[in-house]
Each structure stands twice: as C-alpha cells, then as structure tokens.
Amino acid sequence: MSTTPTTLVRFRRRARIEHGAVMFLFVVLALTGFPQKFFPAPGAQAMVDAIGGIDRARWLHRAAGLCFAALLALHLGGAAWPTLKRRARLSLVPEGKDFRDAAAMLRYQLGTEPRPPLLDRFDYRQKFEYWGLVLGGAVMVATGFLLLFPLLATALVSGQLVPVAKVAHSNEGLMAFLVVVTWHVFNAHLSPEAFPGDTSIFTGRIARERLRHEHPLEYARIVGGGAPDPLPEAPWRAVLLAPLRGALLVMYLPGLGFAVVGRHLARRAAALASNLHFRRKEPAESAEPGEPPASAA
C-alpha cells in the first residue's frame, strides 16, 4: 500500500489568515463604498438604509480602511524583515523569467508555441494579481488618509490634492473590484484547471497532481529534494527594487497582450486576404487559351 501523500502543503497558516482578512475587508469596503460612489443609482439608497444610514456606512468604510492599512503594513513588514535578515527570499517579486513566461504562454494559447512554459511556485499571473493588490492598496491607503484627514494633509501639501485623491480613491476602488471579479475569480475558480474552485488558499494544501501540472518546477524541487532558491546577496537592494519590478510586470502584461494578440490577428487577416486574392485569380489563370474564364459563362 502506497504511503505517498495525495496532497502537498501550498500555503502556511499566516498566508491563509491574511487572505481571509483581505477577502472580508474587501467585501466590507465594496458594500460601504459603492453606494457612496454611485449614490444616484437605483438601489444605492436602499443599500445605505440596510447598512443603517449614511453615517454608519461611512464609519464602517473608514474602520475597514484603517484595518486594511494595518494589514498591508504588517504584510509588507512580514515579507521584508525575513529577507533583510537573510532568512527568506521574496518569492512573489517578478524576475526575468516571468516576463518571458508571459510571452511564451500567450504564444502557446494562440497556437504558435508547441508547449507551455514550466512555471515555479508563483507564476506571472499570480504575481500580477499580487502586485496589483499591493500597489493598488497603497494608492487606496494613501488617498484614504488624505481624505480622512484633509486639514492635516493640506497643512503639509497643496489643497488641490484633496479632490485629486477623491477621484483616484474612487476609481482605483472600482478598478480593483473589476479586476477581482473578472481576472481573479476566473483564474482561481472558473478556469479549466481550477473549476469548480481552488481551495488551496483556505485549506493550505493542493493536490499533488495539480501541483505537478501547474507548477512543475516547484513540484520537482519538493519531490526531488532539490536545493531551495538562493537567498538574495543584497537584501536591501532586493527589497527596495521589489515594488519597481512589480509595477513593471503590472504594466507589461496588458501591453504584451495587445501587442502579441494584435500581431497574431494581423497575420491571420493578411493570410486570409492573400488566400482570397489567390482564389479569385485561380479561375482566370486555369482557363484554356481562347476560352473565356468560368466566371464569364
């Protein structure tokens, strides 16, 4: 009888608790923020009344925002400190391989690449989501504090930043909501690999076969007993450059998608146009000398 476990550890307790807290705070912020953003919309007033009035909605929104700011600070500190002490590495920071993997995966999905790239513990899609959340969360926290303490803020910076912060806070919240309900929900729950839902972030464990299929490099390292990834030689430099590299990936993926898909569609359109042109000329060229083409009959 085989004693090989059918599941492997994917996430530790701390990561699962942080994910659960982000989920809860995200829902609270959305339910209390959107009725204020879209107050003329049908149903907005009913939602505010269900919460207990506009004052309670604003209080809950601010309390959830402060909790989110504290959670973001604890998370970033908990990630940076072990790296600075050379006890861990920032596994979610994009590397050159992630940018190449994104292009290779897109070509594979378009049928121009024979096989998908081999992915490690966190692939480029998960890093894109992570840094979208971190950088977007930083914008939400900064603009939220500016709106929460406008008099204190305008004593330090220009008062014109207050209306700018209001627009940025509102639009960033809407964009975060749209990204979660489209990109994240599809990848984590509706994609063919995850359907009907990825429970690894809740249970902490992932099916052995699924890990081998989706993250073959990590699977080979775990099963083969390979050496872990090397720690950064310059931890301060790695921590300081992490947000920049994350922002580059966040900006890179949409541009890559437009470029690769656009080029693919252009080539397909050119091939189709060439094929149609060839078919139109073929009857005239195949007609016998002295005979009219078939189209003239």
PDB file of all heavy atoms in Angstrom, residues 212-250:
ATOM      1  N   ARG A 212       1.961  19.309  -9.772  1.00  0.00           N
ATOM      2  CA  ARG A 212       2.884  18.852 -10.815  1.00  0.00           C
ATOM      3  C   ARG A 212       2.521  19.441 -12.171  1.00  0.00           C
ATOM      4  O   ARG A 212       3.409  19.777 -12.968  1.00  0.00           O
ATOM      5  CB  ARG A 212       2.854  17.326 -10.892  1.00  0.00           C
ATOM      6  CG  ARG A 212       3.896  16.730 -11.852  1.00  0.00           C
ATOM      7  CD  ARG A 212       3.652  15.250 -12.062  1.00  0.00           C
ATOM      8  NE  ARG A 212       2.412  15.038 -12.792  1.00  0.00           N
ATOM      9  CZ  ARG A 212       2.306  15.162 -14.117  1.00  0.00           C
ATOM     10  NH1 ARG A 212       3.359  15.492 -14.851  1.00  0.00           N
ATOM     11  NH2 ARG A 212       1.156  14.941 -14.711  1.00  0.00           N
ATOM     12  N   HIS A 213       1.223  19.602 -12.417  1.00  0.00           N
ATOM     13  CA  HIS A 213       0.768  20.119 -13.709  1.00  0.00           C
ATOM     14  C   HIS A 213       0.933  21.642 -13.803  1.00  0.00           C
ATOM     15  O   HIS A 213       1.381  22.153 -14.842  1.00  0.00           O
ATOM     16  CB  HIS A 213      -0.704  19.742 -13.916  1.00  0.00           C
ATOM     17  CG  HIS A 213      -1.312  20.370 -15.132  1.00  0.00           C
ATOM     18  ND1 HIS A 213      -0.949  20.021 -16.420  1.00  0.00           N
ATOM     19  CD2 HIS A 213      -2.262  21.343 -15.260  1.00  0.00           C
ATOM     20  CE1 HIS A 213      -1.634  20.743 -17.283  1.00  0.00           C
ATOM     21  NE2 HIS A 213      -2.435  21.555 -16.611  1.00  0.00           N
ATOM     22  N   GLU A 214       0.587  22.378 -12.755  1.00  0.00           N
ATOM     23  CA  GLU A 214       0.572  23.840 -12.814  1.00  0.00           C
ATOM     24  C   GLU A 214       1.894  24.476 -12.406  1.00  0.00           C
ATOM     25  O   GLU A 214       2.224  25.564 -12.886  1.00  0.00           O
ATOM     26  CB  GLU A 214      -0.553  24.382 -11.926  1.00  0.00           C
ATOM     27  CG  GLU A 214      -1.943  23.978 -12.378  1.00  0.00           C
ATOM     28  CD  GLU A 214      -3.028  24.608 -11.532  1.00  0.00           C
ATOM     29  OE1 GLU A 214      -2.719  25.555 -10.760  1.00  0.00           O
ATOM     30  OE2 GLU A 214      -4.182  24.158 -11.615  1.00  0.00           O
ATOM     31  N   HIS A 215       2.635  23.845 -11.503  1.00  0.00           N
ATOM     32  CA  HIS A 215       3.897  24.414 -11.006  1.00  0.00           C
ATOM     33  C   HIS A 215       4.968  23.327 -11.024  1.00  0.00           C
ATOM     34  O   HIS A 215       5.442  22.886  -9.965  1.00  0.00           O
ATOM     35  CB  HIS A 215       3.709  24.977  -9.597  1.00  0.00           C
ATOM     36  CG  HIS A 215       2.588  25.968  -9.495  1.00  0.00           C
ATOM     37  ND1 HIS A 215       2.735  27.300  -9.813  1.00  0.00           N
ATOM     38  CD2 HIS A 215       1.293  25.817  -9.108  1.00  0.00           C
ATOM     39  CE1 HIS A 215       1.585  27.926  -9.627  1.00  0.00           C
ATOM     40  NE2 HIS A 215       0.692  27.048  -9.200  1.00  0.00           N
ATOM     41  N   PRO A 216       5.349  22.873 -12.215  1.00  0.00           N
ATOM     42  CA  PRO A 216       6.274  21.731 -12.305  1.00  0.00           C
ATOM     43  C   PRO A 216       7.649  21.982 -11.691  1.00  0.00           C
ATOM     44  O   PRO A 216       8.266  21.057 -11.169  1.00  0.00           O
ATOM     45  CB  PRO A 216       6.371  21.471 -13.811  1.00  0.00           C
ATOM     46  CG  PRO A 216       5.957  22.761 -14.453  1.00  0.00           C
ATOM     47  CD  PRO A 216       4.941  23.354 -13.539  1.00  0.00           C
ATOM     48  N   LEU A 217       8.132  23.213 -11.738  1.00  0.00           N
ATOM     49  CA  LEU A 217       9.448  23.487 -11.164  1.00  0.00           C
ATOM     50  C   LEU A 217       9.417  23.363  -9.646  1.00  0.00           C
ATOM     51  O   LEU A 217      10.343  22.808  -9.041  1.00  0.00           O
ATOM     52  CB  LEU A 217       9.927  24.881 -11.577  1.00  0.00           C
ATOM     53  CG  LEU A 217      10.137  25.096 -13.087  1.00  0.00           C
ATOM     54  CD1 LEU A 217      10.646  26.503 -13.368  1.00  0.00           C
ATOM     55  CD2 LEU A 217      11.094  24.052 -13.654  1.00  0.00           C
ATOM     56  N   GLU A 218       8.365  23.868  -9.027  1.00  0.00           N
ATOM     57  CA  GLU A 218       8.235  23.719  -7.577  1.00  0.00           C
ATOM     58  C   GLU A 218       8.023  22.256  -7.209  1.00  0.00           C
ATOM     59  O   GLU A 218       8.597  21.766  -6.229  1.00  0.00           O
ATOM     60  CB  GLU A 218       7.066  24.556  -7.058  1.00  0.00           C
ATOM     61  CG  GLU A 218       6.898  24.455  -5.543  1.00  0.00           C
ATOM     62  CD  GLU A 218       5.617  25.089  -5.040  1.00  0.00           C
ATOM     63  OE1 GLU A 218       4.709  25.333  -5.851  1.00  0.00           O
ATOM     64  OE2 GLU A 218       5.527  25.325  -3.824  1.00  0.00           O
ATOM     65  N   TYR A 219       7.227  21.549  -7.989  1.00  0.00           N
ATOM     66  CA  TYR A 219       6.972  20.127  -7.719  1.00  0.00           C
ATOM     67  C   TYR A 219       8.273  19.332  -7.787  1.00  0.00           C
ATOM     68  O   TYR A 219       8.558  18.487  -6.919  1.00  0.00           O
ATOM     69  CB  TYR A 219       5.966  19.590  -8.719  1.00  0.00           C
ATOM     70  CG  TYR A 219       5.663  18.125  -8.562  1.00  0.00           C
ATOM     71  CD1 TYR A 219       4.734  17.688  -7.637  1.00  0.00           C
ATOM     72  CD2 TYR A 219       6.321  17.176  -9.344  1.00  0.00           C
ATOM     73  CE1 TYR A 219       4.459  16.335  -7.481  1.00  0.00           C
ATOM     74  CE2 TYR A 219       6.052  15.827  -9.197  1.00  0.00           C
ATOM     75  CZ  TYR A 219       5.117  15.412  -8.262  1.00  0.00           C
ATOM     76  OH  TYR A 219       4.857  14.066  -8.115  1.00  0.00           O
ATOM     77  N   ALA A 220       9.080  19.594  -8.803  1.00  0.00           N
ATOM     78  CA  ALA A 220      10.345  18.884  -8.937  1.00  0.00           C
ATOM     79  C   ALA A 220      11.274  19.190  -7.769  1.00  0.00           C
ATOM     80  O   ALA A 220      11.999  18.309  -7.297  1.00  0.00           O
ATOM     81  CB  ALA A 220      11.009  19.263 -10.259  1.00  0.00           C
ATOM     82  N   ARG A 221      11.244  20.421  -7.284  1.00  0.00           N
ATOM     83  CA  ARG A 221      12.095  20.795  -6.160  1.00  0.00           C
ATOM     84  C   ARG A 221      11.638  20.100  -4.877  1.00  0.00           C
ATOM     85  O   ARG A 221      12.452  19.655  -4.080  1.00  0.00           O
ATOM     86  CB  ARG A 221      12.073  22.314  -5.995  1.00  0.00           C
ATOM     87  CG  ARG A 221      13.079  22.831  -4.985  1.00  0.00           C
ATOM     88  CD  ARG A 221      13.289  24.329  -5.126  1.00  0.00           C
ATOM     89  NE  ARG A 221      12.044  25.071  -5.033  1.00  0.00           N
ATOM     90  CZ  ARG A 221      11.508  25.744  -6.053  1.00  0.00           C
ATOM     91  NH1 ARG A 221      12.083  25.760  -7.235  1.00  0.00           N
ATOM     92  NH2 ARG A 221      10.359  26.402  -5.884  1.00  0.00           N
ATOM     93  N   ILE A 222      10.305  19.982  -4.687  1.00  0.00           N
ATOM     94  CA  ILE A 222       9.787  19.356  -3.469  1.00  0.00           C
ATOM     95  C   ILE A 222      10.008  17.849  -3.501  1.00  0.00           C
ATOM     96  O   ILE A 222      10.533  17.253  -2.562  1.00  0.00           O
ATOM     97  CB  ILE A 222       8.293  19.682  -3.299  1.00  0.00           C
ATOM     98  CG1 ILE A 222       8.101  21.173  -3.012  1.00  0.00           C
ATOM     99  CG2 ILE A 222       7.683  18.860  -2.166  1.00  0.00           C
ATOM    100  CD1 ILE A 222       6.652  21.600  -2.961  1.00  0.00           C
ATOM    101  N   VAL A 223       9.614  17.222  -4.604  1.00  0.00           N
ATOM    102  CA  VAL A 223       9.690  15.763  -4.697  1.00  0.00           C
ATOM    103  C   VAL A 223      11.128  15.296  -4.835  1.00  0.00           C
ATOM    104  O   VAL A 223      11.541  14.301  -4.228  1.00  0.00           O
ATOM    105  CB  VAL A 223       8.836  15.274  -5.885  1.00  0.00           C
ATOM    106  CG1 VAL A 223       8.982  13.774  -6.075  1.00  0.00           C
ATOM    107  CG2 VAL A 223       7.376  15.627  -5.656  1.00  0.00           C
ATOM    108  N   GLY A 224      11.911  16.035  -5.627  1.00  0.00           N
ATOM    109  CA  GLY A 224      13.291  15.623  -5.852  1.00  0.00           C
ATOM    110  C   GLY A 224      14.230  16.009  -4.736  1.00  0.00           C
ATOM    111  O   GLY A 224      15.406  15.623  -4.750  1.00  0.00           O
ATOM    112  N   GLY A 225      13.738  16.787  -3.765  1.00  0.00           N
ATOM    113  CA  GLY A 225      14.604  17.199  -2.669  1.00  0.00           C
ATOM    114  C   GLY A 225      15.706  18.140  -3.092  1.00  0.00           C
ATOM    115  O   GLY A 225      16.794  18.137  -2.513  1.00  0.00           O
ATOM    116  N   GLY A 226      15.416  18.946  -4.119  1.00  0.00           N
ATOM    117  CA  GLY A 226      16.417  19.881  -4.606  1.00  0.00           C
ATOM    118  C   GLY A 226      16.682  21.016  -3.640  1.00  0.00           C
ATOM    119  O   GLY A 226      15.917  21.261  -2.701  1.00  0.00           O
ATOM    120  N   ALA A 227      17.764  21.722  -3.874  1.00  0.00           N
ATOM    121  CA  ALA A 227      18.119  22.849  -3.017  1.00  0.00           C
ATOM    122  C   ALA A 227      17.123  23.987  -3.207  1.00  0.00           C
ATOM    123  O   ALA A 227      16.639  24.226  -4.310  1.00  0.00           O
ATOM    124  CB  ALA A 227      19.532  23.337  -3.355  1.00  0.00           C
ATOM    125  N   PRO A 228      16.768  24.688  -2.145  1.00  0.00           N
ATOM    126  CA  PRO A 228      15.848  25.836  -2.277  1.00  0.00           C
ATOM    127  C   PRO A 228      16.500  26.955  -3.062  1.00  0.00           C
ATOM    128  O   PRO A 228      17.715  26.975  -3.282  1.00  0.00           O
ATOM    129  CB  PRO A 228      15.590  26.237  -0.824  1.00  0.00           C
ATOM    130  CG  PRO A 228      16.784  25.749  -0.069  1.00  0.00           C
ATOM    131  CD  PRO A 228      17.221  24.484  -0.757  1.00  0.00           C
ATOM    132  N   ASP A 229      15.672  27.887  -3.497  1.00  0.00           N
ATOM    133  CA  ASP A 229      16.193  29.026  -4.239  1.00  0.00           C
ATOM    134  C   ASP A 229      17.188  29.804  -3.389  1.00  0.00           C
ATOM    135  O   ASP A 229      17.003  29.953  -2.177  1.00  0.00           O
ATOM    136  CB  ASP A 229      15.053  29.949  -4.660  1.00  0.00           C
ATOM    137  CG  ASP A 229      14.150  29.289  -5.686  1.00  0.00           C
ATOM    138  OD1 ASP A 229      14.655  28.426  -6.425  1.00  0.00           O
ATOM    139  OD2 ASP A 229      12.955  29.619  -5.737  1.00  0.00           O
ATOM    140  N   PRO A 230      18.270  30.299  -3.996  1.00  0.00           N
ATOM    141  CA  PRO A 230      19.275  31.029  -3.206  1.00  0.00           C
ATOM    142  C   PRO A 230      18.724  32.320  -2.642  1.00  0.00           C
ATOM    143  O   PRO A 230      17.857  32.971  -3.233  1.00  0.00           O
ATOM    144  CB  PRO A 230      20.385  31.300  -4.234  1.00  0.00           C
ATOM    145  CG  PRO A 230      19.699  31.267  -5.564  1.00  0.00           C
ATOM    146  CD  PRO A 230      18.608  30.247  -5.424  1.00  0.00           C
ATOM    147  N   LEU A 231      19.221  32.701  -1.475  1.00  0.00           N
ATOM    148  CA  LEU A 231      18.827  33.953  -0.845  1.00  0.00           C
ATOM    149  C   LEU A 231      19.505  35.117  -1.556  1.00  0.00           C
ATOM    150  O   LEU A 231      20.585  34.966  -2.124  1.00  0.00           O
ATOM    151  CB  LEU A 231      19.219  33.941   0.636  1.00  0.00           C
ATOM    152  CG  LEU A 231      18.573  32.846   1.487  1.00  0.00           C
ATOM    153  CD1 LEU A 231      19.126  32.896   2.901  1.00  0.00           C
ATOM    154  CD2 LEU A 231      17.063  32.977   1.498  1.00  0.00           C
ATOM    155  N   PRO A 232      18.890  36.293  -1.557  1.00  0.00           N
ATOM    156  CA  PRO A 232      19.488  37.439  -2.247  1.00  0.00           C
ATOM    157  C   PRO A 232      20.797  37.852  -1.586  1.00  0.00           C
ATOM    158  O   PRO A 232      20.913  37.879  -0.362  1.00  0.00           O
ATOM    159  CB  PRO A 232      18.416  38.526  -2.125  1.00  0.00           C
ATOM    160  CG  PRO A 232      17.589  38.123  -0.947  1.00  0.00           C
ATOM    161  CD  PRO A 232      17.595  36.629  -0.937  1.00  0.00           C
ATOM    162  N   GLU A 233      21.776  38.180  -2.420  1.00  0.00           N
ATOM    163  CA  GLU A 233      23.064  38.606  -1.893  1.00  0.00           C
ATOM    164  C   GLU A 233      23.003  40.030  -1.342  1.00  0.00           C
ATOM    165  O   GLU A 233      23.761  40.379  -0.439  1.00  0.00           O
ATOM    166  CB  GLU A 233      24.127  38.507  -2.996  1.00  0.00           C
ATOM    167  CG  GLU A 233      24.380  37.077  -3.479  1.00  0.00           C
ATOM    168  CD  GLU A 233      25.471  37.023  -4.518  1.00  0.00           C
ATOM    169  OE1 GLU A 233      26.017  38.096  -4.868  1.00  0.00           O
ATOM    170  OE2 GLU A 233      25.784  35.917  -4.992  1.00  0.00           O
ATOM    171  N   ALA A 234      22.141  40.836  -1.901  1.00  0.00           N
ATOM    172  CA  ALA A 234      21.971  42.221  -1.436  1.00  0.00           C
ATOM    173  C   ALA A 234      20.520  42.402  -1.010  1.00  0.00           C
ATOM    174  O   ALA A 234      19.691  42.874  -1.801  1.00  0.00           O
ATOM    175  CB  ALA A 234      22.352  43.215  -2.535  1.00  0.00           C
ATOM    176  N   PRO A 235      20.159  42.008   0.222  1.00  0.00           N
ATOM    177  CA  PRO A 235      18.743  42.027   0.625  1.00  0.00           C
ATOM    178  C   PRO A 235      18.115  43.414   0.591  1.00  0.00           C
ATOM    179  O   PRO A 235      16.957  43.558   0.214  1.00  0.00           O
ATOM    180  CB  PRO A 235      18.770  41.456   2.037  1.00  0.00           C
ATOM    181  CG  PRO A 235      20.177  41.603   2.508  1.00  0.00           C
ATOM    182  CD  PRO A 235      21.026  41.490   1.294  1.00  0.00           C
ATOM    183  N   TRP A 236      18.861  44.449   0.996  1.00  0.00           N
ATOM    184  CA  TRP A 236      18.291  45.795   0.966  1.00  0.00           C
ATOM    185  C   TRP A 236      17.947  46.202  -0.462  1.00  0.00           C
ATOM    186  O   TRP A 236      16.896  46.797  -0.718  1.00  0.00           O
ATOM    187  CB  TRP A 236      19.274  46.802   1.569  1.00  0.00           C
ATOM    188  CG  TRP A 236      19.213  46.864   3.052  1.00  0.00           C
ATOM    189  CD1 TRP A 236      20.087  46.306   3.951  1.00  0.00           C
ATOM    190  CD2 TRP A 236      18.200  47.515   3.837  1.00  0.00           C
ATOM    191  NE1 TRP A 236      19.686  46.557   5.233  1.00  0.00           N
ATOM    192  CE2 TRP A 236      18.540  47.303   5.204  1.00  0.00           C
ATOM    193  CE3 TRP A 236      17.064  48.251   3.533  1.00  0.00           C
ATOM    194  CZ2 TRP A 236      17.764  47.804   6.247  1.00  0.00           C
ATOM    195  CZ3 TRP A 236      16.294  48.759   4.566  1.00  0.00           C
ATOM    196  CH2 TRP A 236      16.643  48.532   5.905  1.00  0.00           C
ATOM    197  N   ARG A 237      18.816  45.878  -1.378  1.00  0.00           N
ATOM    198  CA  ARG A 237      18.563  46.202  -2.784  1.00  0.00           C
ATOM    199  C   ARG A 237      17.353  45.426  -3.305  1.00  0.00           C
ATOM    200  O   ARG A 237      16.526  45.973  -4.038  1.00  0.00           O
ATOM    201  CB  ARG A 237      19.804  45.886  -3.613  1.00  0.00           C
ATOM    202  CG  ARG A 237      19.697  46.242  -5.083  1.00  0.00           C
ATOM    203  CD  ARG A 237      21.051  46.090  -5.752  1.00  0.00           C
ATOM    204  NE  ARG A 237      20.975  46.407  -7.175  1.00  0.00           N
ATOM    205  CZ  ARG A 237      20.755  45.511  -8.124  1.00  0.00           C
ATOM    206  NH1 ARG A 237      20.606  44.234  -7.780  1.00  0.00           N
ATOM    207  NH2 ARG A 237      20.701  45.863  -9.388  1.00  0.00           N
ATOM    208  N   ALA A 238      17.234  44.153  -2.926  1.00  0.00           N
ATOM    209  CA  ALA A 238      16.096  43.348  -3.364  1.00  0.00           C
ATOM    210  C   ALA A 238      14.774  43.909  -2.852  1.00  0.00           C
ATOM    211  O   ALA A 238      13.784  43.970  -3.578  1.00  0.00           O
ATOM    212  CB  ALA A 238      16.286  41.905  -2.901  1.00  0.00           C
ATOM    213  N   VAL A 239      14.770  44.352  -1.594  1.00  0.00           N
ATOM    214  CA  VAL A 239      13.536  44.899  -1.015  1.00  0.00           C
ATOM    215  C   VAL A 239      13.175  46.232  -1.660  1.00  0.00           C
ATOM    216  O   VAL A 239      12.006  46.492  -1.972  1.00  0.00           O
ATOM    217  CB  VAL A 239      13.700  45.056   0.510  1.00  0.00           C
ATOM    218  CG1 VAL A 239      12.541  45.844   1.105  1.00  0.00           C
ATOM    219  CG2 VAL A 239      13.803  43.686   1.174  1.00  0.00           C
ATOM    220  N   LEU A 240      14.153  47.093  -1.881  1.00  0.00           N
ATOM    221  CA  LEU A 240      13.872  48.406  -2.452  1.00  0.00           C
ATOM    222  C   LEU A 240      13.429  48.316  -3.911  1.00  0.00           C
ATOM    223  O   LEU A 240      12.612  49.124  -4.368  1.00  0.00           O
ATOM    224  CB  LEU A 240      15.114  49.293  -2.340  1.00  0.00           C
ATOM    225  CG  LEU A 240      15.514  49.695  -0.912  1.00  0.00           C
ATOM    226  CD1 LEU A 240      16.810  50.500  -0.927  1.00  0.00           C
ATOM    227  CD2 LEU A 240      14.404  50.504  -0.245  1.00  0.00           C
ATOM    228  N   LEU A 241      13.964  47.335  -4.651  1.00  0.00           N
ATOM    229  CA  LEU A 241      13.612  47.214  -6.062  1.00  0.00           C
ATOM    230  C   LEU A 241      12.337  46.399  -6.280  1.00  0.00           C
ATOM    231  O   LEU A 241      11.804  46.397  -7.393  1.00  0.00           O
ATOM    232  CB  LEU A 241      14.763  46.558  -6.838  1.00  0.00           C
ATOM    233  CG  LEU A 241      16.021  47.400  -7.026  1.00  0.00           C
ATOM    234  CD1 LEU A 241      17.072  46.622  -7.806  1.00  0.00           C
ATOM    235  CD2 LEU A 241      15.701  48.709  -7.733  1.00  0.00           C
ATOM    236  N   ALA A 242      11.846  45.724  -5.243  1.00  0.00           N
ATOM    237  CA  ALA A 242      10.669  44.862  -5.403  1.00  0.00           C
ATOM    238  C   ALA A 242       9.451  45.623  -5.941  1.00  0.00           C
ATOM    239  O   ALA A 242       8.808  45.156  -6.890  1.00  0.00           O
ATOM    240  CB  ALA A 242      10.344  44.173  -4.084  1.00  0.00           C
ATOM    241  N   PRO A 243       9.074  46.787  -5.373  1.00  0.00           N
ATOM    242  CA  PRO A 243       7.899  47.493  -5.922  1.00  0.00           C
ATOM    243  C   PRO A 243       8.084  47.918  -7.376  1.00  0.00           C
ATOM    244  O   PRO A 243       7.121  47.889  -8.156  1.00  0.00           O
ATOM    245  CB  PRO A 243       7.756  48.710  -5.007  1.00  0.00           C
ATOM    246  CG  PRO A 243       8.484  48.342  -3.756  1.00  0.00           C
ATOM    247  CD  PRO A 243       9.614  47.475  -4.182  1.00  0.00           C
ATOM    248  N   LEU A 244       9.298  48.306  -7.743  1.00  0.00           N
ATOM    249  CA  LEU A 244       9.541  48.717  -9.127  1.00  0.00           C
ATOM    250  C   LEU A 244       9.349  47.538 -10.069  1.00  0.00           C
ATOM    251  O   LEU A 244       8.709  47.660 -11.126  1.00  0.00           O
ATOM    252  CB  LEU A 244      10.945  49.300  -9.257  1.00  0.00           C
ATOM    253  CG  LEU A 244      11.385  49.677 -10.674  1.00  0.00           C
ATOM    254  CD1 LEU A 244      10.467  50.743 -11.251  1.00  0.00           C
ATOM    255  CD2 LEU A 244      12.835  50.162 -10.676  1.00  0.00           C
ATOM    256  N   ARG A 245       9.887  46.393  -9.698  1.00  0.00           N
ATOM    257  CA  ARG A 245       9.743  45.215 -10.549  1.00  0.00           C
ATOM    258  C   ARG A 245       8.291  44.763 -10.615  1.00  0.00           C
ATOM    259  O   ARG A 245       7.804  44.307 -11.662  1.00  0.00           O
ATOM    260  CB  ARG A 245      10.651  44.103 -10.033  1.00  0.00           C
ATOM    261  CG  ARG A 245      12.127  44.454 -10.151  1.00  0.00           C
ATOM    262  CD  ARG A 245      13.015  43.571  -9.319  1.00  0.00           C
ATOM    263  NE  ARG A 245      13.092  42.211  -9.823  1.00  0.00           N
ATOM    264  CZ  ARG A 245      13.878  41.271  -9.309  1.00  0.00           C
ATOM    265  NH1 ARG A 245      14.637  41.561  -8.259  1.00  0.00           N
ATOM    266  NH2 ARG A 245      13.905  40.068  -9.823  1.00  0.00           N
ATOM    267  N   GLY A 246       7.576  44.889  -9.493  1.00  0.00           N
ATOM    268  CA  GLY A 246       6.164  44.552  -9.511  1.00  0.00           C
ATOM    269  C   GLY A 246       5.369  45.480 -10.415  1.00  0.00           C
ATOM    270  O   GLY A 246       4.498  45.033 -11.171  1.00  0.00           O
ATOM    271  N   ALA A 247       5.673  46.782 -10.357  1.00  0.00           N
ATOM    272  CA  ALA A 247       4.975  47.741 -11.218  1.00  0.00           C
ATOM    273  C   ALA A 247       5.274  47.487 -12.691  1.00  0.00           C
ATOM    274  O   ALA A 247       4.393  47.639 -13.551  1.00  0.00           O
ATOM    275  CB  ALA A 247       5.380  49.163 -10.833  1.00  0.00           C
ATOM    276  N   LEU A 248       6.503  47.091 -12.994  1.00  0.00           N
ATOM    277  CA  LEU A 248       6.851  46.787 -14.380  1.00  0.00           C
ATOM    278  C   LEU A 248       6.026  45.620 -14.907  1.00  0.00           C
ATOM    279  O   LEU A 248       5.543  45.650 -16.048  1.00  0.00           O
ATOM    280  CB  LEU A 248       8.345  46.471 -14.489  1.00  0.00           C
ATOM    281  CG  LEU A 248       9.306  47.655 -14.353  1.00  0.00           C
ATOM    282  CD1 LEU A 248      10.751  47.184 -14.373  1.00  0.00           C
ATOM    283  CD2 LEU A 248       9.061  48.677 -15.460  1.00  0.00           C
ATOM    284  N   LEU A 249       5.835  44.588 -14.094  1.00  0.00           N
ATOM    285  CA  LEU A 249       5.027  43.447 -14.535  1.00  0.00           C
ATOM    286  C   LEU A 249       3.570  43.850 -14.720  1.00  0.00           C
ATOM    287  O   LEU A 249       2.917  43.434 -15.689  1.00  0.00           O
ATOM    288  CB  LEU A 249       5.134  42.306 -13.520  1.00  0.00           C
ATOM    289  CG  LEU A 249       4.363  41.032 -13.894  1.00  0.00           C
ATOM    290  CD1 LEU A 249       4.963  40.389 -15.138  1.00  0.00           C
ATOM    291  CD2 LEU A 249       4.347  40.040 -12.740  1.00  0.00           C
ATOM    292  N   VAL A 250       3.046  44.662 -13.804  1.00  0.00           N
ATOM    293  CA  VAL A 250       1.651  45.103 -13.903  1.00  0.00           C
ATOM    294  C   VAL A 250       1.437  45.891 -15.190  1.00  0.00           C
ATOM    295  O   VAL A 250       0.390  45.763 -15.847  1.00  0.00           O
ATOM    296  CB  VAL A 250       1.274  45.940 -12.670  1.00  0.00           C
ATOM    297  CG1 VAL A 250      -0.073  46.616 -12.860  1.00  0.00           C
ATOM    298  CG2 VAL A 250       1.240  45.055 -11.425  1.00  0.00           C
TER     299      VAL A 250
END
